Amino acid sequence: MVRDTVSHLREQGRRVFVDCEHFFDGYKANPDYAKAVVRTAHEAGADVVVLCDTNGGMLPAQVQAVVATVIADTGARLGIHAQDDTGCAVANTLAAVDAGATHVQCTANGYGERVGNANLFPVVAAWSSSTASGCCPRAPSPR
């Protein structure tokens, strides 16, 4: 189903972002199957495969380890969608980026279902204050 859907959309000239809802829960239960879904989406032409911490139960070290492993084992371009149930959505987002994710799903002020999503503003602030990220251009110092 994943291969057919992604392939069809690509044939129609669409960019495809596959959100893998409950990815981290699925990964805990069956990492080989979870990685197979990501690999299939990637091989079918998905631009980004988004790993979702739908229940918000992951911690940063866990996110970083899983994202690094999935990238190494699939070669897919990954994104992260973190819920804030444990108060770790921003930290989990940054951990995913540190592990190689290149796409983040955030909301202004963290608004979202239940307790919310990763807050865009501290995510951008953390990146822009990091000289290593290269993600945000530095503004010239005011004179």
Side-chain angles (χ1 to χ4, degrees):
M1 180 189 295
V2 172
R3 182 178 310 281
D4 292 345
T5 302
V6 173
S7 296
H8 173 74
L9 292 169
R10 294 297 294 172
E11 289 166 6
Q12 302 302 310
R14 304 290 184 157
R15 294 184 68 199
V16 180
F17 290 61
V18 175
D19 277 20
C20 294
E21 288 291 332
H22 295 278
F23 177 83
F24 290 95
D25 296 321
Y27 186 90
K28 286 179 183 178
N30 189 337
D32 290 334
Y33 180 77
K35 290 187 290 186
V37 171
V38 172
R39 186 178 300 107
T40 299
H42 171 64
E43 290 172 354
D47 294 283
V48 179
V49 180
V50 181
L51 309 185
C52 301
D53 182 18
T54 308
N55 290 330
M58 296 294 288
L59 297 174
Q62 297 168 318
V63 168
Q64 191 166 23
V66 171
V67 170
T69 298
V70 172
I71 289 171
D73 292 353
T74 68
R77 178 180 174 209
L78 297 183
I80 184 72
H81 174 102
Q83 294 289 126
D84 205 28
D85 297 63
T86 58
C88 292
V90 168
N92 286 345
T93 298
L94 295 171
V97 170
D98 284 345
T102 59
H103 169 89
V104 299
Q105 294 181 351
C106 300
T107 62
N109 296 318
Y111 291 119
E113 64 186 343
R114 295 189 325 275
V115 297
N117 303 100
N119 185 344
L120 176 65
F121 304 128
V123 168
V124 171
W127 280 336
S128 64
S129 66
S130 168
T131 58
S133 75
C135 131
C136 303
R138 295 246 181 236
S141 299
R143 295 186 192 247

